[in-house]
Amino acid sequence: DADVTQTPRNRITKTGKRIMLECSQTKGHDRMYWYRQDPGLGLRLIYYSFDVKDINKGEISDGYSVSRQAQAKFSLSLESAIPNQTALYFCATSDWDSTDTQYFGPGTRLTVL
Amino acid sequence: AQTVTQSQPEMSVQEAETVTLSCTYDTSENNYYLFWYKQPPSRQMILVIRQEAYKQQNATENRFSVNFQKAAKSFSLKISDSQLGDTAMYFCAFMNRDDKIIFGKGTRLHILP
């Protein structure tokens, strides 16, 4: 089984809908991250969490919220989806004693119509 | 603010040739990490190689090596004996002391048979 999983892998939704993307990891890492990838822009950090009680905004947090339900789970929510949130979303994890290495999930492709 | 610049949006080389991907970055920090990630059509983010800024020796992983020039803030990736499976998007990335990764916009590499 994959160490970092994301659900769903693909999602099409409509403008104004609430969407939750989920990330789970079995690596036992304490740090988790959500990134967004747009064509020609690379990956940009949305939110990150260094432990269950720690949530931090990244470069592009507007329009998004997150929840760290447990050490192994980190969810990203779009409260009211809009078309420019159409993108590929990645979850990643790292360990406190090896923070230079991040392990990425397979990505979720989200399309907002 | 730290930035990562990849000046080559797209490159093509023949199989078995050597190719170099360019990356420059901007930071005022002295200690940091640099990475090259590969993203094949499967869209999975795969760590290719990493370099610690305080190490002068260039990192090498099999056919992949880097030319790290700290004073010039340059971090290029050399792929020797290129293979069809090397076809992918390649991202240069920088990690600051806050353990957040900043990605470049990527170079799309095509290995031609």
Side-chain angles (χ1 to χ4, degrees):
Chain A
D1 290 338
D3 295 320
V4 184
T5 58
Q6 292 183 233
T7 56
R9 293 293 310 277
N10 296 280
R11 181 71 183 270
I12 300 173
T13 191
K14 295 182 178 180
T15 297
K17 293 291 187 180
R18 185 178 187 275
I19 293 296
M20 180 180 285
L21 309 183
E22 298 186 344
C23 176
S24 296
Q25 52 115 346
T26 59
K27 300 186 76 65
H29 289 169
D30 53 344
R31 300 183 175 203
M32 299 186 74
Y33 309 80
W34 274 105
Y35 292 91
R36 167 179 171 158
Q37 183 181 12
D38 296 279
L41 291 179
L43 278 74
R44 293 178 292 168
L45 183 63
I46 306 173
Y47 270 96
Y48 60 103
S49 170
F50 283 174
D51 65 42
V52 175
K53 297 181 180 179
D54 177 75
I55 301 289
N56 304 283
K57 293 183 177 180
E59 179 186 358
I60 52 164
S61 60
D62 288 348
Y64 301 96
S65 63
V66 291
S67 174
R68 186 81 184 266
Q69 301 96 323
Q71 186 193 36
K73 296 184 182 295
F74 192 37
S75 300
L76 176 71
S77 294
L78 288 67
E79 296 301 324
S80 180
I82 57 177
N84 76 0
Q85 291 178 314
T86 293
L88 185 56
Y89 290 85
F90 284 99
C91 174
T93 73
S94 67
D95 202 9
W96 69 273
D97 65 350
S98 183
T99 57
D100 60 294
T101 302
Q102 291 190 9
Y103 299 85
F104 284 81
T108 294
R109 183 168 297 284
L110 176 66
T111 302
V112 183
L113 302 177
Chain B
Q2 292 99 348
T3 58
V4 177
T5 302
Q6 293 180 247
S7 59
Q8 305 147 313
E10 195 160 3
M11 299 180 69
S12 296
V13 295
Q14 294 295 137
E15 189 176 9
E17 290 186 347
T18 294
V19 59
T20 299
L21 281 59
S22 301
C23 174
T24 58
Y25 59 94
D26 187 26
T27 183
S28 58
E29 297 181 13
N30 193 46
N31 294 320
Y32 48 87
Y33 293 92
L34 294 162
F35 310 89
W36 279 98
Y37 280 88
K38 169 184 178 181
Q39 187 180 41
S42 66
R43 80 191 189 198
Q44 180 73 42
M45 291 291 289
I46 302 166
L47 179 63
V48 174
I49 199 164
R50 59 190 277 275
Q51 174 81 41
E52 296 164 84
Y54 65 87
K55 290 188 176 179
Q56 293 185 337
Q57 185 173 4
N58 290 323
T60 299
E61 289 287 343
N62 301 312
R63 297 183 295 108
F64 298 86
S65 61
V66 297
N67 183 5
F68 174 47
Q69 301 290 328
K70 190 173 183 179
K73 297 180 182 176
S74 172
F75 184 63
S76 61
L77 175 70
K78 185 172 80 172
I79 305 174
S80 303
D81 185 26
S82 59
Q83 301 174 359
L84 296 178
D86 295 333
T87 291
M89 196 77 170
Y90 286 82
F91 292 98
C92 179
F94 167 96
M95 175 180 276
N96 60 16
R97 57 185 173 182
D98 293 332
D99 297 330
K100 292 185 288 186
I101 295 182
I102 299 166
F103 288 86
K105 296 182 179 182
T107 296
R108 187 172 301 280
L109 177 65
H110 302 275
I111 307 299
L112 307 173

